[in-house]
């Protein structure tokens, strides 16, 4: 099969000593930064972007593969050992993992998360290997109208699935779209929303947006209401090896979590949250020990963590094959590609197969490295959690400045960064999700480009989006993604109004 | 309007201001869009179409938020953070001190150079957020800033400004 030949070539690229070294550095940096409280996977990738600034593209992306998986893994360590999740995809891990840690099984929770991440990451990467060529074939057949519809679908799913209310999600998305408009319009060459500032002609970099909203915004939010009784870090005691019983209770959830996470992640629609919640609900239903859920059930760590990592692998499928990021982390990866003048999509597989397949091969390698490193190094990661918060956040501000100024060498970008930090602070105050804005900034110009090209082909006939069947079908799905959650909530609230007989108490 | 226990009563004023700010921002986007120059060749789907849609979207979302604010759906702050307690009131003093630290960084980075600007930012921000071990903080700040400068400028090819320390580092 062609996929095997391509992958073999990818391994040839990824297995050179130099690229193995970059993969190792990426995995270590990604885990170390991902472990730090307040830094989720998206910010991990954004903050580490300057490190790869001057590398050759292949080495840079191999390192990124390590950072991406390492950041995912590091995040789960934080949620197990501190009770509070750094990102919504880790909420369920935090529930059960932290309870396990409190009961002296923290090491087993870390182990089942690590091995589950390995299983899910590897199976997910295999899935990516075989799905990618298939999606490339579909992608080659799509015209601008279909691509525009796909971007709209990504917008509506990311918006509808995140945050406390649809209005807030939409606000975040439109803020991102507005920021994405700044700069020269690629099709007409006119400058838009630049207010005469030459540094704005290139537009606002999505990395600046992500670092501003996530890092600076988060720092100010924490500073404005710092916990006076910080979460206790639970020391990891006992063996890192799981007992026979814990193995027996873990392996099925790993596989089920993977089976849920990868397909949902690889849809051109957003969200790592859904698979983790689905996996948790499924494990709770299937478990022989449902009474343990909420009190440290190992299935509740194994399943969702596998789902989380499998969907992280799945997210790479639309990113690499269609150029469609469906998470904030993927949006920043796309920005990294664009920095090198590369445009992920079907044509990248044809023009630069070594790069794409080298990246996919290094995902396999990074996964093995993470498994080998993380079990013995768990103690080191735990100590990172003990960094005093004032120093941690002060360092985050230093790195945010370094990344922004180091890339552009312009103080104007720092002003933009800090303004976005203020915006991020306000968004947290009003509980507005940040991820739709980050995706909006990078996909907004993409959507506009496809929109206008489609209209040029159709000679200005706006009906082209609904008369082309695939485009119309995708747009219907996009509309459903917005309407369905509202409809379900309305239906549920109607149902709870009718008297419900008390459910029998479980023995 | 009832609030669940444990959450402070956040006045609806904040929500109303949010809705108002969104509408005003949307109107500003539309107004700025009218100023974008049109080239005749693109008169059909020119550079103004999408900005108009974005501006209109913002106005509509703002109106929606206004309805939510008036019907009493007030939000509690984000609970995603590890180190922030959304039930606390805003500590404006710390926020102000941090903002001044960023301003100092902005002023210093091109004049005094990356190392001094970063060390000052680090120490200032750490103290603003409650650290009281000044000697340790200064030592960490200076060492971290110097090491980062050397790694990124010598090893990774970035061009961070040396500032007044040019020739020494």
């Amino acid at each position: 099969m062609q996929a095997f030949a391509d992958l073999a070539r990818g391994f040839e690229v990824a297995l050179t000593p130099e690229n193995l070294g970059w993969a190792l550095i990426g995995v270590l940096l990604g885990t170390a930064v991902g472990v730090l409280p307040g830094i989720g996977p998206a910010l991990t990738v954004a903050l580490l972007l300057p490190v790869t600034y001057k590398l050759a593209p292949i080495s840079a992306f191999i390192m990124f593969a390590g950072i991406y998986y390492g950041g995912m893994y590091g995040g789960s360590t934080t949620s197990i050992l501190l009770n509070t999740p750094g990102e919504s995809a880790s909420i369920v891990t935090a529930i059960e993992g932290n309870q396990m840690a409190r009961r002296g099984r923290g090491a087993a929770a870390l182990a089942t998360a690590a091995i589950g991440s390995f299983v899910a990451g590897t199976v997910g990467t295999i899935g990516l290997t075989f799905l990618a060529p298939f999606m490339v074939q579909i992608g080659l057949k799509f015209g601008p109208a279909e691509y525009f519809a796909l971007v709209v679908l990504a917008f509506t799913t990311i918006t509808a699935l995140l945050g406390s209310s649809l209005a807030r999600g939409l606000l975040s998305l439109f803020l991102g779209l507005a920021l994405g408009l700044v700069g020269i319009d690629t099709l007409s060459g006119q400058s838009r929303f630049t207010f005469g500032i030459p540094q704005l002609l290139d537009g606002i970099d999505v990395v600046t947006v992500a670092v501003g909203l996530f890092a600076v915004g988060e720092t100010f939010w924490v500073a404005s209401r710092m916990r006076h009784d910080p979460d206790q870090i639970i020391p990891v005691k006992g063996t890192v090896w799981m007992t026979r019983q814990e193995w027996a209770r873990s392996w099925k959830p790993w596989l089920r979590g993977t089976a849920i996470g990868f397909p949902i992640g690889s849809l051109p629609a957003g969200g790592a949250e859904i698979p983790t919640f689905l996996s948790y609900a499924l494990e709770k239903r299937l478990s022989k020990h449902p009474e343990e859920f909420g009190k440290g059930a190992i299935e509740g760590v194994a399943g969702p963590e596998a789902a989380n990592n499998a969907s992280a692998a799945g997210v790479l499928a639309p990113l690499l094959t269609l150029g469609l990021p469906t998470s904030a982390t993927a949006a920043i990866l796309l920005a990294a590609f664009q920095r090198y003048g590369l445009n992920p999509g079907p044509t990248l597989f044809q023009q630069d197969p070594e790069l794409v397949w080298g990246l996919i091969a290094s995902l396999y390698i990074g996964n093995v490295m993470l498994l080998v490193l993380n079990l013995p190094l768990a103690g080191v990661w735990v100590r990172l959690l003990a960094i005093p918060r004032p120093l941690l956040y002060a360092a985050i501000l230093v790195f945010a400045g370094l990344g922004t100024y180091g890339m552009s060498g312009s103080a104007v970008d720092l002003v933009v960064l800090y303004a976005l930090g203020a915006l991020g602070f306000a968004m947290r105050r009003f509980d507005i999700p940040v991820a739709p804005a980050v995706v909006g900034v990078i996909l907004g110009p993409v959507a506009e480009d496809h929109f206008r090209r489609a209209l040029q082909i159709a000679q200005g006939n706006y009906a082209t989006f609904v008369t082309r069947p695939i485009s119309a079908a995708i747009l219907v799905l996009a509309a459903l993604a917005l309407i369905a959650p509202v409809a379900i909530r309305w239906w549920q609230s109607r149902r709870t109004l009718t008297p419900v007989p008390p459910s029998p108490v479980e023995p | 309007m009832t609030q669940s226990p444990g959450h402070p009563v956040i006045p609806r004023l904040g929500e109303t201001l949010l809705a108002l700010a969104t509408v005003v921002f949307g109107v500003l986007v539309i107004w700025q869009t009218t100023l974008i120059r049109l080239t005749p060749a693109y008169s059909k789907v020119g550079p103004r179409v999408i900005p108009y849609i974005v501006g209109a979207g913002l106005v509509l979302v703002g109106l929606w938020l206004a309805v939510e604010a008036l019907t009493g759906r007030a939000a509690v702050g984000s609970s995603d953070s590890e180190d922030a307690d959304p039930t606390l009131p805003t500590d404006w003093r710390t926020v102000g001190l941090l903002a001044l630290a960023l301003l100092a960084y902005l002023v210093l980075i091109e004049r005094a150079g990356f190392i001094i600007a970063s060390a000052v930012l680090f120490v200032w921000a750490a103290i603003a957020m409650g650290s009281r071990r000044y000697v340790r903080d200064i030592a960490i700040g200076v060492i971290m800033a110097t090491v980062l400068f050397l790694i990124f400028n010598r090893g990774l090819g970035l061009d961070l400004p040396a500032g007044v320390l040019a020739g020494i580092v």
Side-chain angles (χ1 to χ4, degrees), chain B residues 30-150:
Chain B
I30 293 171
W31 171 56
Q32 283 291 318
T33 302
T34 61
L35 304 179
I36 297 170
R37 279 180 50 207
L38 286 182
T39 35
Y42 285 91
S43 55
K44 202 100 196 173
V45 266
R48 287 185 186 171
V49 176
I50 295 284
Y52 276 132
I53 296 175
V54 172
L58 279 165
V59 172
L60 288 176
V61 172
L63 294 176
W64 187 351
L65 287 169
V67 172
E68 286 196 353
L70 297 175
T71 52
R73 279 190 57 179
V76 182
S78 160
S79 52
D80 279 350
S81 311
E82 275 123 353
D83 297 320
D85 181 350
T87 60
L88 291 175
T90 306
D91 174 0
W92 285 111
R93 190 173 164 272
T94 307
V95 171
L97 283 173
L98 265 191
L100 285 176
L102 294 182
L103 197 65
Y105 184 76
L106 210 54
V107 171
L108 287 174
I109 182 112
E110 284 178 348
R111 291 174 183 81
F114 174 81
I115 296 179
I116 292 175
S118 298
V120 167
L121 171 63
F122 180 84
V123 176
W124 191 333
I127 292 171
M129 290 183 81
S131 177
R132 288 294 169 267
R133 292 174 61 184
Y134 305 111
V135 177
R136 179 196 67 179
D137 296 352
I138 292 170
I140 294 176
V142 170
I143 293 169
M144 186 176 79
T146 312
V147 169
L148 284 177
F149 180 85
L150 294 177

Side-chain angles (χ1 to χ4, degrees), chain A residues 483-493:
Chain A
I483 298 163
V486 179
I488 291 170
R489 224 168 288 162
W490 177 79
W491 185 69
Q492 278 177 341
S493 68

Side-chain angles (χ1 to χ4, degrees), chain A residues 420-444:
Chain A
L420 288 164
L423 180 65
F425 174 50
M427 288 171 81
R428 280 170 177 75
R429 158 65 182 80
F430 289 107
D431 202 13
I432 298 163
V434 171
V438 174
V439 175
V441 169
I442 195 152
L443 276 188

Side-chain angles (χ1 to χ4, degrees), chain A residues 149-404:
Chain A
L150 270 181
V151 176
V152 173
L153 176 65
F155 282 158
T156 59
T157 48
I158 289 166
T159 305
L161 300 180
L162 287 171
S164 57
S165 85
L166 188 53
R168 280 157 213 278
L170 283 171
L171 172 56
S172 176
L173 174 68
F174 276 105
L175 284 175
L177 291 177
L179 290 171
L181 289 174
V182 174
I184 297 236
D185 170 39
T186 46
L187 286 181
S188 69
Q190 297 300 323
S191 66
R192 301 190 294 190
F193 304 98
T194 52
F195 308 102
I197 303 168
Q199 285 90 342
L200 289 181
L201 288 174
D202 285 339
I204 298 177
D205 195 304
V206 68
V207 178
T208 309
V209 175
V211 173
L213 292 183
F214 282 115
V216 183
E218 175 78 5
T219 303
F220 272 85
W221 175 243
V222 169
S224 76
R225 48 203 77 200
M226 184 116 80
R227 278 183 203 281
H228 294 300
D229 48 340
D231 280 315
Q232 273 193 317
I233 304 160
I234 299 150
V236 179
K237 282 177 291 199
T239 168
V240 294
W241 300 112
M242 301 190 293
T243 63
R244 179 186 290 269
Q245 193 213 2
E246 282 163 342
W247 275 97
R249 286 176 61 177
S250 288
W251 70 271
K252 282 185 203 157
W254 292 335
L255 294 180
R256 283 194 290 258
T258 307
I260 294 172
F262 180 75
I264 297 183
S266 58
L267 290 177
E273 291 76 21
I274 301 290
T276 60
F277 284 115
L278 277 180
S279 164
Y280 185 75
L282 181 72
E283 295 309 329
K284 195 172 176 180
R285 178 164 299 182
L286 293 177
S287 173
K288 294 194 187 93
H289 315 273
E291 74 285 352
E292 280 185 31
F293 274 77
K295 297 176 198 145
I298 194 165
E299 295 93 335
V301 179
E305 266 311 297
N308 195 5
N309 268 58
S311 82
V315 162
L316 294 176
L319 175 67
L320 292 175
T321 61
L322 303 173
L324 197 68
T326 54
S327 69
T329 320
I332 294 161
L333 285 176
L334 177 60
F337 274 102
Q338 290 176 347
R339 201 173 286 278
Y340 286 100
L342 301 166
N343 280 310
T347 46
L348 187 66
F349 275 78
Q350 295 169 337
Q351 287 166 357
D352 217 338
E354 290 205 340
L355 181 109
V356 184
W357 289 102
L359 171 68
I360 293 177
S362 62
L363 290 171
Y364 289 98
I365 298 167
N367 246 317
V368 176
M369 285 180 174
L370 276 170
L371 183 71
V372 175
L373 284 175
N374 276 319
L375 292 177
L377 282 181
V380 178
W381 306 139
V382 172
R383 293 181 66 176
L384 285 176
L385 293 175
I387 293 178
R389 292 304 181 264
L391 301 190
L392 172 67
Y393 287 99
I396 288 177
L397 289 181
V398 169
F399 276 93
L402 163 69
T404 307

